[in-house]
Structures are given as structure tokens and as C-alpha cells.
Amino acid sequence: MEQVPVEGGKEEKQLKWVPSAVNLDNHVIVPPEIDQSTFAGDADAGKKFVEDYISDLTKTKIDGSKQPLWDLHLLNVRTSEPDAEAVGVFRIHHSLGDGVSLTSLLLACTRQIADPDALPTIPTPRKKKEEGLLAGFWRAVVAVWTAAVLMWNTAVDVAAFLLTAIWVEDTKTPLKGPHGVEFLPRRFVWKSMSLDDFKLVKNAMNATINDVALGATQAGLSRYLNRKLGKRGSENDGEQNNSLPAGSIRLRSTLLVNVRPGPGIQAMADMMEKDTEVKWGNWIGFILLPFTIGIRDDPLDYVRQAKAVVDRKKRSLEALFTFSIAEFVLKLFGTRRSNALSHRIITRTTLCFTNLVGPLEEIGYYGHPLAFLAPSSFNQPHGLMINFQSCVDKMTVVLSVDESTIPDPHQLCDDIVHSLELIKNAVISSHGLSQS
């Protein structure tokens, strides 16, 4: 049994959950045997086949008669970067849950390779310990100041959110998709990097993995736009080869944030085995995250800028308020107006960015080891979506692009990966570290 959304209500179409019997034959799709010899001599041919197959899936819709709205495609194709003997492609309608819920549910179906009875371990943020004890008066002063900063930052961020809904829009660049881009097919490209490289930069700069991912993305987007907008088309790095207009590019990401305590893989496992309840559905808020686009002599500046912006956003309740605004509009005006508000915000920004934490140990799905995880989505009104997903000792970056907007997505992906390499090398050089 599963839950499916159905239409209900008298005045406007509403959604409610009802039990539904699931026929797996309607949801698991195995294409005809693929001749592996056609990929001989070309290490990237298998990966290109999978990319084309997934791109073709974005041209069709999930059969609405086969509830619930998901399917699984099993491709017996070897791929490189990362290496995998076969690929499973889940296509899941967003009405069934947000990315955190769906990823947690998938991981709840897996077990550790070293211990087949144990669920994967997902790292959780550590709370910073207060150094020393403040006297009662000064503790009160700090608490009042913190609350004031939180209220001010939240007010500024909510005002920016409302202004974006009314008229503020990002600069038109080669990364910004046209109106109606959500109805166009998508191309998905991905590449895996060493998670240790992210940790090396994180530890050296007193940052987070998310700061490093955002810094590398900011650097990669700058390199890409410098190549596209520059008259010289220089591939060299450094401010002397900067062809970007100084300070005139407004480029923001809608950063999707889970506004509830994550359902967690243990809660999902209990739900399946013991029929317990978890908060299901879509519980996400928006953060409008500005990207500073420019060519820097010091690659570490990208991480410093990303960290400064994210630290500022952490002292704000923007995500909770944007979620609450969307919920208020939904309850007061209905689904159509709520969707229109979200669509208006997203179309006035340039891209969507997410970063999901994965398992620490090698995991398997019914005895089959998983080489990598690469979540993404399509039918969103952005020409570009960037997802980072960690899994054991790898970090995979996934790009979902409209090819009419970004005709060379592999180049953009390589720019992000190369930017991380430059950042790592700069850390090693500046901190006198040894490269392992």
C-alpha cells in the first residue's frame, strides 16, 4: 500500500492522500538488452547513452493511470566517472514529496555493505560549544543583540523576497532560461569528485562543505560566463583576463531549504516496517542566495565570499517565512495562486542550487552496492539547476540544463570541477599542506 494524491473538494481542486494498491509491473521498466559491444573502445559511450536515455524521459510524462506517480528504469550499461556496472533511474513526481523526503526514503531501503542489518549513517550538524561562561548581564546583552540581528536580517530578506515577486529580476545572461523553459526537455550531466578535497578546504578555511560547494560553483559560473561574454575568450585565470562587466551582473539562486527536522532514514524505515507516521510531502522554503560573479586572482576568495553570504543567511528566518508566505497564499487563495507566486519568484532568479548529505559507509540496495547517487529534477522554470550529493568518499555534482540555454553543459560541469581543483591547490599552497 502507498499514498497517492487525488482530486477532491467542491470549489477548487484539492489534494488528499488515500491508500492505493501498487502493481510493481507498472512501475519497473527494463529496456531490451543493450549490446555492450557498441560501447567498446569508448569509455564515455555508456555514460552518453544514459544521459540520452534520461533526457528522453524528460520529453514524456509519467502515465497518470499508473498510480502512484513514479517509475524505475533499470539500464544494464557500464558507465565511467563514476564507475558503475549498471544504472537505476527513478523518475518521481514532486507531489509525492520533496528531495529530502524522497532521498531519505531511498536510503531507508538500503543497508550497509559491512553490516547488512544496519541502516546507513547520515552525518548531522554539530552544535558549536560555547567557550567560557558569560555573566548573566552580558549573556542577556548577547541574546538581545542576536535577536535584533535575526529580526533585522529576516525583515530585509523577506522584503527582498516580496520585491522579487513584484519586479526585481536577475540580469539576462547565457545562464538564464527564457519564459516557458519548464516545458522544454532537459539534459542531465554529472561528475564525481573526492569528498576529501572538500574536507581539506573546509578544515583549512574554517568553513562548511556547503560553503566549499557554493564557492566552487560561484567560481565555475564566473569562468563559464567570462568565456561566453568575453571578447577575448581567454581560458586563463586571473583578474587581468576578466571580461565580465564590473559589478553589473545580478545573479541569484533559489536555495531550497528543508524547514522541518529531516524525516531521517530511521523514521522512513520505521514507517515502512512498523506503519508509523512521518511528516511527508513538500516542506521546503526559499532562500534567495546572491552569487558574486567575477574573476579573482585568489581562488579562495570565492569560498570566503560564499561563506560570508551563507553565514549572514544563517542569521535569518528567511526560509521559514517564505514557506509560511506560500502556505498562507495556498490556504487563502488556493493552489493556483500559490503556484503562481512560486513560479514568479523562480523565474526572476537564474538557477536553483541544492546540497544533500549522503551516507558515510558503503551501502547496497538488496545486495547490490551503490556506486553513486545523483539527484536532480526537471520541469522547473530555471534554465539551470545544480545539485551536490555526497556518498561515502565522493561528492557528485549534477547539472540539469535546458540545452537551448546552455548548449555545452559538460563544459560548465568541468568549470565547476576545475574550480574546486584550483581552490584546493590554493589551500595547499597557502597553508603549506601536503597533497595526498
Side-chain angles (χ1 to χ4, degrees):
M1 303 290 287
E2 283 199 26
Q3 303 290 318
V4 299
V6 297
E7 294 181 3
K10 296 180 180 179
E11 297 181 357
E12 186 177 349
K13 293 181 180 178
Q14 298 177 353
L15 297 176
K16 61 180 180 180
W17 296 93
V18 298
S20 173
V22 179
N23 183 353
L24 289 180
D25 291 336
N26 292 335
H27 299 272
V28 180
I29 300 170
V30 182
E33 189 68 25
I34 301 169
D35 185 5
Q36 296 284 348
S37 64
T38 59
F39 306 142
D42 187 351
D44 296 327
K47 187 175 181 180
K48 179 65 165 59
F49 175 88
V50 175
E51 286 181 10
D52 292 340
Y53 186 94
I54 298 175
S55 181
D56 289 339
L57 289 180
T58 68
K59 301 174 184 178
T60 62
K61 294 182 178 180
I62 301 175
D63 188 349
S65 65
K66 298 176 181 178
Q67 296 282 358
L69 298 176
W70 65 269
D71 52 32
L72 169 61
H73 301 252
L74 300 176
L75 308 179
N76 187 24
V77 177
R78 297 187 186 92
T79 63
S80 61
E81 291 189 7
D83 295 328
E85 292 297 315
V87 177
V89 181
F90 273 104
R91 182 172 57 161
I92 307 174
H93 196 278
H94 217 304
S95 63
L96 297 182
D98 55 32
V100 172
S101 297
L102 297 174
T103 303
S104 298
L105 181 60
L106 173 64
L107 292 176
C109 298
T110 67
R111 294 296 183 269
Q112 297 181 25
I113 294 295
D115 184 358
D117 294 326
L119 287 166
T121 303
I122 305 297
T124 55
R126 297 179 180 177
K127 294 183 179 180
K128 293 183 179 180
K129 297 181 180 180
E130 295 185 2
E131 296 182 1
L133 296 175
L134 295 174
F137 172 76
W138 292 111
R139 184 181 300 173
V141 170
V142 170
V144 170
W145 173 254
T146 301
V149 170
L150 184 69
M151 292 172 61
W152 172 258
N153 289 343
T154 301
V156 171
D157 291 339
V158 171
F161 176 84
L162 296 176
L163 287 174
T164 299
I166 298 171
W167 64 276
V168 175
E169 187 171 1
D170 280 6
T171 306
K172 295 188 183 299
T173 67
L175 295 173
K176 197 172 189 308
H179 290 290
V181 70
E182 63 267 31
F183 304 113
L184 300 177
R186 308 288 285 196
R187 168 71 58 174
F188 297 88
V189 300
W190 61 91
K191 210 161 195 176
S192 289
M193 298 163 279
S194 170
L195 186 58
D196 288 339
D197 291 347
F198 285 80
K199 292 179 179 178
L200 184 146
V201 178
K202 173 185 82 78
N203 294 332
M205 301 190 68
N206 191 28
T208 66
I209 295 292
N210 191 60
D211 295 337
V212 180
L214 280 168
T217 301
Q218 191 167 250
L221 297 181
S222 297
R223 287 174 56 84
Y224 183 84
L225 287 176
N226 191 49
R227 184 185 303 107
K228 288 291 184 180
L229 299 177
K231 297 179 181 179
R232 297 183 298 275
S234 173
E235 293 294 318
N236 297 323
D237 295 298
E239 295 181 10
Q240 70 274 15
N241 294 307
N242 185 5
S243 300
L244 299 172
S248 61
I249 295 181
R250 179 191 292 120
L251 193 152
R252 295 172 297 169
S253 164
T254 50
L255 183 65
L256 305 181
V257 179
N258 176 35
V259 298
R260 56 162 179 236
I265 58 175
Q266 184 62 57
M268 293 296 180
D270 291 342
M271 179 190 71
M272 291 184 290
E273 297 175 6
K274 305 174 185 178
D275 197 26
T276 59
E277 293 186 0
V278 298
K279 274 191 178 299
W280 194 248
N282 291 278
W283 292 71
I284 52 177
F286 294 117
I287 288 180
L288 299 182
L289 196 70
F291 279 55
T292 303
I293 299 300
I295 302 300
R296 304 285 180 260
D297 284 333
D298 184 0
L300 301 185
D301 284 343
Y302 294 109
V303 179
R304 295 187 186 104
Q305 291 169 344
K307 175 176 168 53
V309 172
V310 172
D311 286 348
R312 153 67 177 76
K313 291 290 184 177
K314 288 177 181 177
R315 295 189 290 271
S316 169
L317 299 177
E318 179 182 3
L320 185 60
F321 269 79
T322 55
F323 171 77
S324 300
I325 290 172
E327 283 291 291
F328 175 77
V329 173
L330 173 64
K331 293 178 180 179
L332 193 63
F333 300 106
T335 305
R336 184 176 300 177
R337 296 290 178 85
S338 177
N339 290 341
L341 174 63
S342 298
H343 185 273
R344 194 171 181 85
I345 293 293
I346 294 174
T347 55
R348 292 176 180 273
T349 58
T350 300
L351 70 143
C352 181
F353 180 94
T354 66
N355 177 26
L356 294 176
V357 180
L360 296 176
E361 311 91 358
E362 296 283 349
I363 60 173
Y365 188 78
Y366 285 92
H368 299 282
L370 294 186
F372 71 102
L373 296 170
S376 192
S377 68
F378 62 99
N379 286 143
Q380 72 273 14
H382 273 143
L384 171 64
M385 182 173 191
I386 301 176
N387 300 78
F388 281 82
Q389 172 70 61
S390 65
C391 185
V392 195
D393 59 351
K394 297 175 183 176
M395 176 71 87
T396 301
V397 57
V398 190
L399 272 57
S400 168
V401 306
D402 162 44
E403 287 191 281
S404 65
T405 303
I406 303 174
D408 49 356
H410 293 92
Q411 179 63 67
L412 177 55
C413 190
D414 289 341
D415 282 337
I416 295 174
V417 174
H418 180 64
S419 295
L420 175 67
E421 187 71 17
L422 292 176
I423 292 170
K424 182 191 74 171
N425 291 338
V427 164
I428 293 173
S429 175
S430 64
H431 289 74
L433 303 176
S434 59
Q435 188 168 5
S436 57

